[in-house]
DNA sequence: GGTTTATGTCCATTGAATGGACGATAGCCC
DNA sequence: GGGCTATCGTCCATTCAATGGACATAAACC
């Protein structure tokens, strides 16, 4: 007699569970791994995975392992097309990159993490900390702190409740200090982070606002720790952030929206 | 009494129909548009779309329209990570770009089209014909002809059966001539296309082979029509294609696989 | 050769998906 | 205002497709 596991779950949610089992570092999964990760019976996982393969959402290698399919990647690129933010920000990021010769990053809020939407690198053979599509913690990255500071108290509490893992010995793990920093960031619109996410990397981040004064993204410059006087970076980042915001329709006279979680990214 | 429309379709396939209704040029859809595009009852489409939104695969704007979500884009980026091809090819593409100062493109086969995986542009303000994630026709683009020529007769017949739409007045629409060109391409490994896909753009493309001698991608250089002597481009493209292939484990002694459709991309 | 693990297939059971019907709202034209 | 149409949202009785335990196979391991 089948039909045992918890009911109330829709087929769609199960299918999406299989799909989203793929993540950074786990981009190639066997059937057994998928079964473990989703917690679903292996017969179910197999059927769903095969349907995803048939549709081109997943691909199956000759060794039986599954990967995300090119077709799904294609579909994903549409997300950026319908994100005017990136198109608008790119030229300004380019200018900032030309002026400073440092990493320039653009990130948006997604659940309880920051997602790197675009990145311009300085040298050719620089350390690749994170690639577009990569995720950064909200509590200890430049872009993360900016996004968290303006995301509303609900998300802040959620992140604090999840705990503040120390990525380096310099990560701020004290909730009280983090709150202070977020308050300050909300005042100034800027977050300066010193080797909190990665040893040897400092970052200066600022908010990007849309025409409604909502924080839709964070723009940051990442430099080698101590290699550059951050006082020279800060004004440039602020000015570029304002330029992008202006181009998105924001005007200095407009109120900057605090409170409510911004955008559809704050679903999770 | 519900339950009317054609049975035999799985929920998953319907869900994926909704998902893949989003495509280039139709990246922002209303519920009514989704309903029309999928041909499903609107109650069904709505339920599926809302579940996709809940999972973060889609996002819903305040005006009610749906777009592909950042989360799905993130998932898509994993496809490139598990595609060693791109990582391997990039430095060689970079070299080719440095040497020629022209557009350099890398594409793979996906169904009956070529998908642009990576693109390096020459000038800054060049015409943006196609972006990564974009699709190119198999019968009249450089990368397309290369991929088609090596994809096996089954796909060739399918493409010919679909008809050969003229993208420009110079598009080869005669099946006989196209077959000749594909034969020649299979001989030489190179396809030269003169303003067939876009007026004013010529391209020289070559195949990229893996360790099994399978054609896994096509590499091309696109130049303004008549702006460059293609005889100077051709050897460079060939050499770079061979370099990438070599790096993928291919050796000149190896047989080049013809026949069978390459890779999992040839599902559709 | 016995045990474990990964993968693949079958099929009786049943609960989740279905979609027609109805309602609400907005835009449009006469 | 009134009629017409399009879009979006919700409800719920019906039923068919999803389910997953059971079994089979193959490979890896000790």
């Amino acid at each position: 007699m089948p039909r045992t596991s918890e009911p109330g779950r829709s087929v769609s949610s199960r299918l999406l569970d299989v799909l989203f089992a793929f993540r950074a570092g786990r981009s190639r999964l066997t059937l057994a791994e998928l079964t473990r990760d989703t917690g679903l019976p292996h017969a179910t996982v197999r059927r769903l995975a095969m349907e995803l393969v048939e549709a081109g959402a997943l691909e199956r290698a000759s060794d039986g392992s599954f990967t995300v399919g090119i077709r799904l990647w294609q579909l994903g690129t549409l997300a950026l097309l319908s994100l005017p933010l990136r198109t608008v920000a790119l030229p300004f990021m380019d200018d900032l990159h030309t002026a400073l010769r440092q990493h320039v990053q653009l990130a948006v809020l997604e659940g309880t993490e920051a997602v790197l939407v675009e990145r311009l690198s300085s040298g050719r053979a620089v350390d690749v900390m994170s690639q577009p599509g990569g995720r950064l913690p909200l509590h200890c990255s430049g872009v993360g702190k900016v996004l968290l500071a303006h995301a509303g108290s609900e998300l802040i509490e959620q992140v604090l409740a999840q705990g503040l893992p120390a990525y380096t010995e310099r990560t701020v793990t004290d909730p009280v200090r983090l709150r202070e920093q977020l308050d300050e960031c909300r005042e100034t619109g800027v977050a300066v982070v010193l080797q909190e996410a990665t040893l040897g990397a400092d970052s200066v981040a600022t908010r990007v606002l849309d025409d409604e004064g909502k924080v839709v993204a964070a723009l940051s410059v990442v430099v080698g720790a101590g290699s550059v006087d951050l006082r020279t970076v800060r004004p440039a980042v602020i000015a570029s952030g304002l330029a992008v915001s202006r181009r998105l329709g924001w005007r200095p006279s407009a109120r900057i929206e605090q409170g409510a979680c911004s955008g559809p990214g704050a679903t999770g």
Side-chain angles (χ1 to χ4, degrees), chain A:
Chain A
M1 73 218 67
R3 172 93 358 207
T4 305
S5 85
E6 78 236 271
R9 302 278 324 277
S10 67
V11 189
S12 311
S13 75
R14 274 185 274 253
L15 190 79
L16 291 163
D17 281 351
V18 172
L19 213 45
F20 285 113
F22 294 83
R23 40 187 203 286
R26 294 189 68 75
S27 61
R28 169 164 242 106
L29 299 173
T30 66
L31 198 53
E33 288 169 324
L34 270 174
T35 303
R36 275 191 292 271
D37 288 7
T38 57
L40 297 169
H42 85 278
T44 301
V45 172
R46 179 171 197 281
R47 187 163 23 81
L48 295 175
M50 293 309 278
E51 279 190 283
L52 287 167
V53 169
E54 202 159 346
L58 294 182
E59 282 173 17
R60 189 160 205 193
S62 48
D63 67 347
S65 65
F66 297 90
T67 53
V68 176
I70 291 285
R71 183 126 186 256
L72 202 60
W73 169 70
Q74 261 191 285
L75 189 60
T77 60
L78 298 179
L80 294 191
L81 289 181
S82 56
L83 194 72
L85 164 69
R86 179 171 160 274
T87 324
V88 167
L90 256 177
F92 295 100
M93 292 175 69
D94 209 32
D95 296 344
L96 196 55
H97 179 241
T98 304
L100 295 173
R101 289 283 133 200
Q102 299 290 348
H103 299 288
V104 179
Q105 297 185 329
L106 183 71
V108 300
L109 187 64
E110 218 296 312
T112 58
E113 286 172 305
V115 176
L116 202 57
V117 169
E118 187 60 68
R119 173 198 175 94
L120 301 180
S121 291
S122 51
R124 183 137 295 179
V126 279
D127 59 319
V128 183
M129 322 184 326
S130 39
Q131 293 288 336
R135 298 163 152 249
L136 293 164
L138 289 181
H139 72 286
C140 67
S141 67
V143 287
K145 283 192 186 181
V146 167
L147 293 171
L148 183 57
H150 299 84
S153 54
E154 200 176 304
L155 186 67
I156 296 177
E157 298 311 321
Q158 194 184 339
V159 168
L160 288 174
Q162 283 177 6
L164 305 173
Y167 280 63
T168 73
E169 66 228 28
R170 308 196 59 157
T171 304
V172 171
T173 56
D174 177 16
V176 177
R177 269 213 64 203
L178 183 59
R179 275 184 209 273
E180 285 169 11
Q181 290 187 342
L182 295 180
D183 288 345
E184 194 192 322
C185 175
R186 220 173 291 118
E187 274 311 305
T188 62
V190 179
V192 178
V193 168
L194 305 174
Q195 303 191 60
E196 283 191 48
T198 314
L199 279 179
D202 294 344
S203 94
V204 179
T206 190
R207 59 197 170 201
V208 174
L209 306 149
D210 69 1
D211 56 339
E212 298 170 9
K214 240 174 24 191
V215 175
V216 291
L219 179 69
S220 82
V221 167
V222 182
V223 305
S227 69
V228 183
D229 187 344
L230 292 182
R231 283 175 298 180
T232 66
V233 174
R234 197 183 149 114
V237 175
I238 294 177
S240 294
L242 289 172
V244 176
S245 302
R246 207 180 275 271
R247 192 62 198 278
L248 287 173
W250 176 79
R251 292 291 171 266
S253 59
R255 206 175 65 84
I256 291 167
E257 196 174 303
Q258 312 285 352
C261 288
S262 68
T267 32

